[in-house]
Amino acid sequence: MNFNITTPSREIEPLLTEKIDFLTKPKGSLGKLETLARRIGLIQQTLTPRLSNPHNILFAADHGIIEEGVSVSPKDVTWQQLAHFSHGGAGINFLCNQHGFRLTLVDAGVDYDIPEGKGIIDRKIRKSTRNFLHEPAMTRDEFHLAIERGAGIVEDVAATGCNVVSFGEMGSGNTSSSSMWMHFFTGIPLADCVGAGAGLDSPGIRHKLDVLTRAAANYAGDGSPEDIMSWFGGYEMVMAVGGMLKAAELGMVIIVDGFIMTSCILAASKLYPEVLEYTIFGHQGDESGHKKMLEALDADPILHLGLRLGEGSGAVCAYPIIDSAVRMINEMDDFASVGVIKYF
């Protein structure tokens, strides 16, 4: 699947800067809100940006690498928590309710037969990826299907009038896949990419690093972004990549969540670097390696709250600040309109 992602024109940037600078405040005094307003204005190519009908799309899938004991969470947690999301009582549910997000739940590859009628969209590729210690996690055909299905979900939410989207995930073992993508796409040593995930202790982290080190040594692919993503990724992660690319193609604002979704935007940028022009990084999480990956992307996250839940929680938490930036550029008076002498 090909995407037509263009870099937003910079011609409007001086006008955005001028408008922000002449609002009734000292120049630069609203800090990151000014940066965010300028970025959203660039994405939307307007001096009066708007945020409408925000969605958090949560993809869920299982990972074959969990067979190697790299996670404290068994596979059953994935479908159980996905069902929990559908009932409305999880962390991401109260955050979406608080901040006006529509939560979209997608089965990308859960190792369980999800019953119909639960509000969960069935886009299952396969019941879990394969164990990438011994073979590629997915075939190239499965990879392309996941990209296509992720893009299709974003097309559907865009049709509802949504122009700002965040992505979340659920899948035991997906920090292992994210660590592998981070290592191969940034060159950062694997030891700096591997952390506790859902709660491994120090011996557990050492075991996880050993498994992933052996998996990296066993890699026999061609080194292309598609091959690395197919060999080590998860279906939910590749669907998120497809969703991010489609969102950028449609000119939507993309809010990036934590470690796993940051690895997804990193991977997406290896296919289409322009996707980063549509991206706002919601937060810096506490998973080992997230800070280094953000630095590799030259990203400036909005929040640092010690979050490591996933699900899109940090992205949704950051939304009110993004909303404040848009309100600032649209609702503040300028000096000329109110007859106040400009002060610095």
Side-chain angles (χ1 to χ4, degrees):
M1 186 172 186
N2 295 316
F3 297 88
N4 180 25
I5 304 174
T6 59
T7 300
S9 170
R10 295 281 173 180
E11 290 185 7
I12 198 174
E13 189 168 23
L15 298 176
L16 284 163
T17 299
E18 181 181 27
K19 181 176 181 180
I20 293 167
D21 286 349
F22 278 83
L23 298 175
T24 49
K25 59 175 180 56
K27 181 179 177 180
S29 62
L30 282 177
K32 193 170 289 187
L33 295 186
E34 300 187 21
T35 303
L36 289 168
R38 187 180 298 107
R39 186 168 189 82
I40 297 167
L42 275 172
I43 290 170
Q44 297 184 357
Q45 293 289 289
T46 179
L47 298 179
T48 55
R50 293 282 187 268
L51 301 174
S52 63
N53 200 16
H55 277 62
N56 183 65
I57 302 172
L58 194 156
F59 296 103
D62 284 304
H63 292 245
I65 193 65
I66 202 173
E67 299 164 8
E68 304 301 324
V70 295
S71 174
V72 295
S73 301
K75 275 186 179 180
D76 283 350
V77 169
T78 305
W79 70 262
Q80 290 171 359
Q81 189 69 346
L82 186 60
H84 187 203
F85 298 146
S86 72
H87 294 148
I92 192 57
N93 295 106
F94 85 80
L95 289 168
C96 285
N97 291 339
Q98 179 184 5
H99 300 307
F101 272 69
R102 175 80 177 269
L103 178 60
T104 300
L105 303 173
V106 183
D107 174 6
V110 179
D111 193 3
Y112 188 80
D113 292 317
I114 305 292
E116 294 183 4
K118 299 293 184 180
I120 298 167
I121 299 170
D122 181 8
R123 294 293 184 271
K124 193 191 301 284
I125 303 291
R126 182 180 184 269
K127 287 185 174 181
S128 177
T129 57
R130 300 159 187 85
N131 184 344
F132 65 67
L133 178 62
H134 305 297
E135 60 181 322
M138 65 188 76
T139 67
R140 194 64 69 91
D141 286 344
E142 290 170 349
F143 167 84
H144 288 297
L145 184 57
I147 291 284
E148 180 181 334
R149 289 184 174 178
I153 293 293
V154 168
E155 282 188 308
D156 291 342
V157 303
T160 70
C162 170
N163 72 356
V164 54
V165 64
S166 59
F167 297 89
E169 37 56 45
M170 182 66 209
S172 297
N174 56 16
T175 59
S176 293
S177 291
S178 299
S179 295
M180 298 303 284
W181 281 9
M182 175 182 172
H183 169 63
F184 276 91
F185 289 141
T186 68
I188 294 172
L190 194 54
D192 293 332
C193 304
V194 176
L200 288 171
D201 57 14
S202 294
I205 295 172
R206 288 195 295 270
H207 171 71
K208 181 178 177 181
L209 176 59
D210 174 67
V211 170
L212 299 189
T213 299
R214 286 186 283 128
N218 290 344
Y219 175 61
D222 62 20
S224 67
E226 285 190 5
D227 193 69
I228 291 167
M229 292 163 70
S230 302
W231 198 290
F232 298 110
Y235 296 127
E236 84 282 26
M237 294 168 62
V238 177
M239 281 197 195
V241 169
M244 291 169 174
L245 294 174
K246 176 55 70 173
E249 182 180 66
L250 295 174
M252 301 169 76
V253 176
I254 303 165
I255 313 174
V256 177
D257 190 44
F259 181 66
I260 294 157
M261 289 298 104
T262 302
S263 76
C264 290
I265 198 68
L266 170 65
S269 73
K270 297 301 176 181
L271 299 175
Y272 293 87
E274 301 84 1
V275 70
L276 295 174
E277 301 290 340
Y278 297 85
T279 299
I280 293 172
F281 290 86
H283 79 112
Q284 178 188 314
D286 272 3
E287 174 67 14
S288 176
H290 193 200
K291 182 175 185 291
K292 291 180 182 294
M293 184 157 44
L294 289 167
E295 289 171 348
L297 286 163
D298 196 26
D300 183 19
I302 296 172
L303 303 174
H304 186 185
L305 300 177
L307 304 177
R308 57 182 183 88
L309 176 62
E311 304 174 9
S313 53
V316 177
C317 268
Y319 180 74
I321 297 175
I322 299 168
D323 185 41
S324 292
V326 171
R327 289 177 181 271
M328 176 203 74
I329 197 171
N330 288 322
E331 298 179 16
M332 282 187 73
D333 293 322
D334 61 33
F335 287 107
S337 66
V338 295
V340 174
I341 297 172
K342 190 176 189 307
Y343 62 102
F344 297 90

